[in-house]
């Protein structure tokens, strides 16, 4: 596991997601309203939609293109698509986003 | 290979779906003709639409996008007149000639209307108060007519007649059901079962006249009643004829195909002597039989597809055993095979308890079940249909076929049902699929239905779906009462939700979740709907949270399939200038816009703009947002009106611009598209807009509301005729505000206006029957005042990374 620093958490508005490339992988990082972070693969398995542009709540992200839905913690599709990869994500004491890629 | 399908109904489109599933999309260039001006819908569900239980939108099976995605040319609203099998050509009403290599005829049935005096008016078709029940248009016509009338007679006591009776009764009409037979549903039920059903129907307040032959429809201007052969008359204002159906095979007959009752087909569904013509569905006659329900169509469609694509050239259709499961007027009825004994040694086991509305019987021949009838209590239906379909051996104690005698309960019979058993015939869903869905974590019946589409057809399998879900969930299925909530995450219908929001002064989406959602939990699917509602309710006081917006509203452009966006500069009323055009052209060059297109709303669309380029594109354009995204006021299309047109009666362009300037950007439950046209020639298509304005003789303006010309086509209802453009602007705003406050989330005006009734809308908006006109005007003005050009955010982003790409991605160091 290597942690990658992606910059200040303030770059991701609460309730939204932003996309990064982490060690060559496209990753969408979401900033939950509760303050936690979630990171999943950024490309929707259905037809390549931009998941970071999707809407989230505490559990799921909905792809903006055709509304397929994925669990943010497990990456599981809730609408019969392939599952997403999930990544560990956290905020450091100095307010930086760190995403770990195995 | 060119494949042409005549009939855009349940069988034709199902056959195409099966063909696509076998890779036929590659081999065939497919054209589908349908004389109804709609996409493909579930005809069975018309009963639910008539009853007011389902909105029209909910019954569409394949939207226009499906046709597009699969490269199918849909010729909706075009009737085929004749086929020339020698030249392999199809001639349509629009004078078109289409060549085919393979042809599928799927023209369904037409209602049978007995030739009764008064039923038809010379040269005009049916009397205006007489209706049949087959299509969306029939259903709409009935609903419209029912609004202003009190008493209806339904002729025909079969399935369709009962559905029509129940549906109309839901709208408060007083119903008499007139049936020529000696008992109800005499096609499926024996006399005793029919009598039980009659009692159940009468208990609902529907009068039933048996052995009653209609001899006349009375009334010249309006229907006033019907006459019966025994000399009696029954007063009524409308008559619905549901006296049976006839295969719609005229086209085939006229084209020289072999037609008896229907188009005669072989076991591969090919028309006699015509290797390249197939027929499926209610218009087809196979081994002497024509079918009037959907289950056989699915089997036929599979065989046809196997054969036409070569997936299985040996596939053969051997006819269907028809089992009917339905809920008539709230009473469960299931019937399969024969209704009573036919031979001397047939066993017939009957149980009847008329006072409880229960009747059960089975017919057994040579140890096999050849027929069963259940009325009221249908717990055993799963077990019986499987036994019937598969010819399984029967228990020694025949009474076990009717009751669970301490033996297998409904649950066990569900457990015994084989995994392959098809539970929902409409959508072809097996027990296995249902069970896997539940195991996959969906534990409510509505959830499973949403995912598998089971039970979303005729609904007759719903109780079985419930039993299976319950069994698969270990008896812990959840009920889902969310159907009438405004958004799925907050358990309140719109009026209650608004009352709570107002009472507690909730001004942001997160505040609504925190206060009103169970456990204070946010719900992603509810955010947009709540954001829209709050903005309508609070205008300038609304606390905007960006995450509550859909991406389009976060970046003020329309997301496209590859994650890029489209930009539509504002051109009020469709007018532009050479300078604007030059700037648009420069921007298109500079940002390498892949496609520049004129939209259906008379605007210029720059498609394929990258998200990160949006602010610069707007800055270079230097024009305001043209609202091609969002659930909001879109555009006002106009014709040239008095400026140049020689017919123009009113200055439609100026009025269109005034409307657009006033109401630009107004949010609502759905998008709002408008048009103003300078005379009834209607060049701007105003009759089919959410609000359409038409200049008429005498300097007056007609305002239409609730029109649509998308997946649905509907002519708007006349709201008012006014004398000045100012009145048009005021009434438009008042109507839009009323719609914003009262429509369900995503309910377009074409659904909203018919739901609440055009008369009602007129009473409130024009005649101020509720005394709220002034308030509506004030509130829409407040919303107008809160308007900011969203494109200004390009200069001053609202959130960090607002325009950062989500695809493709920037590498971090
Ligand atoms: C109100 C109602 C309730 C029903 N309830 C049930 C139920 O509960 N269970 C059940 O199993 N069945 C039910 N049915 C029957 C079921 O809907 C039909 O069996 C089924 O729709 C038949 O499919 P089809 O494709 O053969 O015909 P259709 O679905 O009627 O399709 C034929 C299409 O072809 C079009 N067409 C015809 N001629 C031409 C032409 N010349 N050119 C172009 N287009 C043409 C027609 O307009 C129509 O759209 C119900 C029917 C109705 C009307
Ligand atoms: S609608 Fe009438 S006024 Fe407008 S362009 Fe057409 S013909 Fe002319
Ligand atoms: S691409 Fe994500 S839902 Fe279709």
């Amino acid at each position: 596991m290597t942690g990658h620093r992606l910059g200040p958490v303030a770059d991701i508005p609460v309730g939204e997601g932003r996309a990064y490339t982490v060690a060559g992988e496209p990753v969408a990082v979401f900033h939950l309203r509760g303050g936690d972070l979630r990171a999943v693969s950024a490309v929707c398995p259905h037809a390549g939609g931009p998941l970071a542009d999707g809407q989230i709540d505490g559990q799921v992200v909905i792809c903006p293109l055709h509304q397929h839905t994925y669990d943010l913690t497990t990456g599981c599709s809730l609408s019969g698509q392939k599952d997403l990869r999930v990544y560990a994500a956290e905020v450091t004491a100095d307010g930086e986003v760190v995403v770990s890629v195995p | 290979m060119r494949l042409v399908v005549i009939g855009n109904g349940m069988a034709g489109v199902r056959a195409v779906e099966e063909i696509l599933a076998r890779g036929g999309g590659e081999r065939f260039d497919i054209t589908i003709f349908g004389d109804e001006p709609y996409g493909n819908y579930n005809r069975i569900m018309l009963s639910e639409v008539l009853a007011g239980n389902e909105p029209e939108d909910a019954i569409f099976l394949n939207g226009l996008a499906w046709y597009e995605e699969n490269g199918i040319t849909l010729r909706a609203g075009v009737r085929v007149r004749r086929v020339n099998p020698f030249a392999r050509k199809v001639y349509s009403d629009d004078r078109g000639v289409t060549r085919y290599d393979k042809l599928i005829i799927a023209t369904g049935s037409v209602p049978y209307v007995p030739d009764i005096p008064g039923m038809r008016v010379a040269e005009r078709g049916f009397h205006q108060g007489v209706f049949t029940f087959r299509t969306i248009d029939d259903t709409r016509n009935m609903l419209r007519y029912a609004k202003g009338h009190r008493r209806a007679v339904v002729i025909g006591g079969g399935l369709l007649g009962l559905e029509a009776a129940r549906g109309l009764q839901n709208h408060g009409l007083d119903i008499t059901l007139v049936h020529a037979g000696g008992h109800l549903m005499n096609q499926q039920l024996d006399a005793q079962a029919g009598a039980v059903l009659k009692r159940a129907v009468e208990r609902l307040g529907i009068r039933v006249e048996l052995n009653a032959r209609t001899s006349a429809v009375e009334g010249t201007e309006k229907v006033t009643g019907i006459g019966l052969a025994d000399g009696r008359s029954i007063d009524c204002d409308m008559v619905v004829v549901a006296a049976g159906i006839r295969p719609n095979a005229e086209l085939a007959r006229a084209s020289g195909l072999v037609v008896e009752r229907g188009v005669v087909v072989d076991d591969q569904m090919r028309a006699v002597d015509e290797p390249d013509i197939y027929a499926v569905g209610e218009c087809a006659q196979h081994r002497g039989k024509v079918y009037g329900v959907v289950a056989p169509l699915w089997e036929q469609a599979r065989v046809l597809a196997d054969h036409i694509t070569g997936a299985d050239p040996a596939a053969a259709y051997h006819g269907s055993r028809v089992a009917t499961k339905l809920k008539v007027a709230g009473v469960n009825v299931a019937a399969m095979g024969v209704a009573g004994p036919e031979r001397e040694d047939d066993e017939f086991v009957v149980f009847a308890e008329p006072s409880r509305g229960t009747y059960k019987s089975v017919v057994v021949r040579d140890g096999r079940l050849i027929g069963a009838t259940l009325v009221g209590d249908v717990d055993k239906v799963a077990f019986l249909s499987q036994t019937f379909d598969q010819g399984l051996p029967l228990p020694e104690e025949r009474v076990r076929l009717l009751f669970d005698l301490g033996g297998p309960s409904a649950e066990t019979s569900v457990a015994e049902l084989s995994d392959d058993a098809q539970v929902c015939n409409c959508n072809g869903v097996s027990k296995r699929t249902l069970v896997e869905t539940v195991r996959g974590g969906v534990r409510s019946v509505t959830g499973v239905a949403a995912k598998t589409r089971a039970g979303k057809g005729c609904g007759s399998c719903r109780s079985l779906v419930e039993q299976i879900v319950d069994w698969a969930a270990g008896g812990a299925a959840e009920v889902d009462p969310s159907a009438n909530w405004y958004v799925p995450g907050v358990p309140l219908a719109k009026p209650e939700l608004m009352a709570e929001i107002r009472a507690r002064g909730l001004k942001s989406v997160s505040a609504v979740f925190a206060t009103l959602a169970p456990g204070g939990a946010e719900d992603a699917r509810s955010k947009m709907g709540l954001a829209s509602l709050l903005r309508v309710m609070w205008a300038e006081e609304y606390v905007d949270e960006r995450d509550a917006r859909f991406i389009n509203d976060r970046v003020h452009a329309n997301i496209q399939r590859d994650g890029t966006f489209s930009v539509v500069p504002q051109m009020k009323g469709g007018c532009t200038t050479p300078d604007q055009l030059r700037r648009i052209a420069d921007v298109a060059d500079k940002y390498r816009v892949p496609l520049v297109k004129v939209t259906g709303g008379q605007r210029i669309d720059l498609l394929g703009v990258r998200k990160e380029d949006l602010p610069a594109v707007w800055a270079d354009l230097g024009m305001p947002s043209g609202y091609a995204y969002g659930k909001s006021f879109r555009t006002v299309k106009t014709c040239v009106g008095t400026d140049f047109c020689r017919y123009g009666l009113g200055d439609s362009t100026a009025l269109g611009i005034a409307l657009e300037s006033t109401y630009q950007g107004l949010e609502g439950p759905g998008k709002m598209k408008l048009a103003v046209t300078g005379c009834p020639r209607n060049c701007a298509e105003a009759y089919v807009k959410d609000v359409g304005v038409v200049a008429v003789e005498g300097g007056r303006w007609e305002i239409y509301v609730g029109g649509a010309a998308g997946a649905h086509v509907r002519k708007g209802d006349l709201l008012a005729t006014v004398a000045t453009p100012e009145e048009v602007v005021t009434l438009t705003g008042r109507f839009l505000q009323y719609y914003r406050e009262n429509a369900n989330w995503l309910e377009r005006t074409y659904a909203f206006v018919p739901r609440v009734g055009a008369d009602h809308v007129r009473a409130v908006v024009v005649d101020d029957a509720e005394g709220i006109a002034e308030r509506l005007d004030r509130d829409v003005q407040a919303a107008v005042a809160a308007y900011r050009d969203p494109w200004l955010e390009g200069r001053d982003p609202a959130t960090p990374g607002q325009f950062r790409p989500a695809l493709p991605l920037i590498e971090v160091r």
Side-chain angles (χ1 to χ4, degrees), chain B residues 215-500:
Chain B
S215 58
V217 172
E218 295 162 353
T220 42
E221 277 294 295
K222 297 187 107 196
V223 168
T224 56
I226 60 157
L228 297 179
D230 63 10
R232 286 183 301 153
S233 332
I234 300 175
D235 289 348
C236 64
D237 321 306
M238 69 188 282
V239 174
V240 177
V241 186
I245 55 173
R246 296 282 176 270
N248 183 10
E250 271 324 302
L251 163 81
R253 185 173 285 130
S255 307
L257 305 188
V258 178
V259 175
E260 288 169 11
R261 273 192 301 155
V263 183
V264 182
V265 296
D266 63 13
D267 287 358
Q268 279 71 45
M269 306 310 296
R270 273 172 310 192
V272 173
D273 297 333
E274 297 289 349
D276 297 321
I277 303 184
Y278 296 79
V280 264
E282 289 187 346
C283 66
Q285 173 180 334
H286 174 262
R287 297 192 187 174
K289 278 182 121 161
V290 294
Y291 296 93
V293 285
V294 296
L297 316 183
W298 300 161
E299 295 176 47
Q300 297 177 351
R302 277 196 290 273
V303 171
L304 190 162
D306 275 339
H307 194 258
I308 205 170
T309 59
D312 177 6
Y317 177 64
H318 300 297
S320 302
R321 314 188 68 173
V322 176
T324 321
K325 285 174 269 173
L326 34 113
K327 203 168 186 154
V328 215
V331 187
N332 280 308
V333 178
M336 56 202 85
V338 300
E342 292 174 345
R343 296 191 198 156
E344 213 159 287
D345 50 359
D346 284 349
E347 293 172 54
F348 188 40
V349 187
V350 185
F351 169 84
E353 201 181 349
S355 59
R356 268 188 56 226
T358 307
Y359 174 92
K360 308 178 184 200
S361 73
V362 289
V363 188
V364 177
R365 182 179 298 165
D366 302 332
R368 308 272 167 199
L369 184 68
I370 62 157
T373 307
L374 302 170
V375 178
D377 173 3
V378 293
D379 274 358
K380 295 294 280 184
V381 65
F383 172 69
L384 287 173
S385 12
Q386 196 183 11
T387 311
F388 175 78
D389 286 343
Q390 302 178 4
L392 301 178
L394 305 180
E396 270 313 309
E397 284 175 79
R398 299 296 197 232
V399 66
R400 283 191 187 281
L401 290 168
L402 301 184
F403 297 99
D404 299 321
L405 294 175
S409 58
E411 238 167 65
T412 359
S413 49
V414 163
E416 281 164 3
L417 202 62
S418 82
D419 277 350
D420 298 331
Q422 179 154 305
V423 176
C424 172
N425 287 324
C426 295
N427 294 306
V429 184
S430 66
K431 174 183 166 192
R432 176 180 299 118
T433 310
L434 293 174
V435 172
E436 278 168 5
T437 309
V438 174
R439 302 252 153 94
V442 185
R443 302 179 75 83
S444 74
V445 175
T446 27
V448 171
K451 209 154 162 188
T452 60
R453 287 164 76 184
K456 295 223 141 190
C458 64
S460 68
C461 63
R462 218 168 279 150
S463 68
L464 186 52
V465 173
E466 275 164 27
Q467 286 175 26
I468 292 173
V469 170
D470 204 46
W471 171 77
E478 294 150 12
V479 277
D480 185 355
S482 67
N484 62 352
W485 300 349
Y486 175 69
V487 287
V490 182
L492 293 169
K494 186 166 181 178
E496 290 83 61
L497 177 62
M498 288 175 74
E500 289 290 333

Side-chain angles (χ1 to χ4, degrees), chain B residues 647-660:
Chain B
Y647 300 108
L649 298 169
D651 191 347
S652 48
T653 311
L655 178 51
I657 293 173
L659 282 169
E660 190 161 342

Side-chain angles (χ1 to χ4, degrees), chain B residues 151-172:
Chain B
R151 294 160 308 177
V153 162
V154 176
I155 300 178
L159 158 65
L160 213 56
L162 286 158
E163 302 262 81
R166 166 181 68 146
L168 289 174
Q169 195 191 28
N170 272 2
H171 297 279

